[in-house]
Amino acid sequence: MKDPVTEEKITPFLETKWAGRHLVCFVETDSTNVRIRQLSREGAPHGTVAVAGAQTEGRGRRGRIWQSPPDSGIYMSILLRPDIDPDRAPMLTLAAACSTAGALDRWKKGASVQIKWPNDIIINGRKVAGILTEMNVRGGRIDYVAVGIGINVNRREFPEELQDKATSLYLEWGCPVQRAYVVASVINHLEADYETFMKTRDLSGLKEFYEGILVNKDRDVVICREQGSYPAHALGITKTGELLVRRAEGDLEAVFAGEVSVRGVYGYV
Ligand code: BTN
């Protein structure tokens, strides 16, 4: 389905003061996170958004590729210049997960939109969107943060190896979705959630929403570290975004996202 994501189509739906007010749209680019790095070097303001119709070098977490075919997905990144310590920046990924889930939930048809800790967006147990946050630090302070969001929108099929893990809005909702509306809605939510985050410089103001849609909450999970895996029971998150779990021997542990991945006992969630 040809449905270009252009400034003219997105801007009428923006309800923001600063987010997306500088909007750069590409028919195709390497990676919108790379475009944000470039735009930041050129002095682009806080809240600048890069959106692409396709990516040739889409990047996922843990060095993975993010498949970014034309016309069927949303590939967008926002430039943030928060005055926070660099070690707080990973929390912005969880804030962006709230924004993405909040935006998609608006069009909910049937199954709820959920979050798999820390930042996979899930519908019906399959991943519909992912978030990759990258930052540059200069002199110990944040120069910029690029929060990149990829959403499978009108994709009709996935390669066999992804079929039980990945889904799209089209496959879940049974109808094509206009990407410009979704982009604008994500930007609207990002501005509001960022402002909530900056009031306390942590996730205190977003924790209740996040935990309300956290697919892992009150479930048995497997914590996967480089050194090995162990079972635990997920209780929620801390206000700094760690997953709070109870280990089999009864100890509580706050698990930091940079060090581990989490899966369900029976599979992906
Ligand atoms: C993940 O692995 O779950 C994160 C995927 C993030 C993909 C988005 S698409 C827009 C931005 N540009 C990229 O190259 N990656 C992010």
Side-chain angles (χ1 to χ4, degrees):
M1 190 184 78
K2 288 272 176 247
D3 163 34
V5 272
T6 59
E7 194 179 342
E8 294 68 37
K9 286 189 158 192
I10 297 167
T11 304
F13 302 105
L14 288 181
E15 296 161 2
T16 56
K17 295 187 291 291
W18 50 266
R21 292 297 166 184
H22 183 212
L23 194 54
V24 186
C25 296
F26 303 88
V27 174
E28 181 182 278
T29 191
D30 44 4
S31 155
T32 52
N33 272 22
V34 175
R35 292 303 100 224
I36 286 295
R37 183 175 70 201
Q38 181 66 31
L39 286 159
S40 170
R41 284 181 184 155
E42 291 164 6
H46 174 75
T48 296
V49 171
V51 186
Q55 296 184 125
T56 52
E57 291 168 39
R59 313 203 290 228
R61 290 177 71 222
R62 299 173 188 278
R64 296 194 190 107
I65 289 170
W66 185 259
Q67 294 185 0
S68 311
D71 299 323
S72 63
I74 286 173
Y75 318 108
M76 61 186 286
S77 304
I78 185 162
L79 168 64
L80 299 172
R81 298 189 190 278
D83 181 18
I84 55 172
D85 286 340
D87 60 4
R88 292 189 166 248
M91 284 187 256
L92 288 167
T93 318
L94 281 79
C98 292
S99 313
T100 309
L104 297 183
D105 208 49
R106 213 171 129 180
W107 287 279
K108 177 171 74 183
K109 296 179 174 63
S112 302
V113 180
Q114 294 180 293
I115 298 174
K116 174 176 177 280
W117 181 84
N119 51 18
D120 286 354
I121 309 301
I122 305 291
I123 303 179
N124 263 329
R126 291 184 167 86
K127 177 164 168 173
V128 72
I131 299 165
L132 175 68
T133 298
E134 297 175 296
M135 71 170 157
N136 190 45
V137 176
R138 209 186 284 165
R141 301 301 299 166
I142 291 179
D143 172 25
Y144 76 89
V145 176
V147 179
I149 302 172
I151 309 174
N152 301 324
V153 182
N154 291 318
R155 200 154 164 187
R156 291 172 188 224
E157 51 192 17
F158 290 89
E160 208 179 318
E161 67 276 11
L162 289 180
Q163 275 170 15
D164 58 347
K165 275 199 213 152
T167 191
S168 69
L169 300 179
Y170 175 84
L171 291 173
E172 294 304 322
W173 296 345
C175 59
V177 178
Q178 200 179 338
R179 290 181 297 170
Y181 286 124
V182 181
V183 170
S185 181
V186 171
I187 296 172
N188 292 338
H189 280 77
L190 277 168
E191 180 173 295
D193 292 337
Y194 178 84
E195 291 188 349
T196 301
F197 171 81
M198 285 305 287
K199 278 186 196 148
T200 54
R201 289 170 161 71
D202 66 24
L203 297 163
S204 307
L206 297 169
K207 186 174 177 300
E208 190 180 335
F209 177 81
Y210 187 100
E211 287 185 330
I213 56 170
L214 178 62
V215 72
N216 315 97
K217 190 169 169 8
D218 301 324
R219 284 208 191 170
D220 291 336
V221 293
V222 179
I223 309 289
C224 309
R225 292 185 187 273
E226 248 176 45
Q227 309 89 308
S229 305
Y230 54 89
H233 188 75
L235 302 171
I237 58 163
T238 65
K239 65 180 185 177
T240 44
E242 290 92 0
L243 185 70
L244 191 61
V245 300
R246 183 179 295 114
R247 294 185 64 155
E249 57 278 18
D251 296 346
L252 289 185
E253 184 184 9
V255 178
F256 177 63
E259 300 163 354
V260 303
S261 64
V262 164
R263 61 173 173 79
V265 178
Y266 301 109
Y268 174 56
V269 289

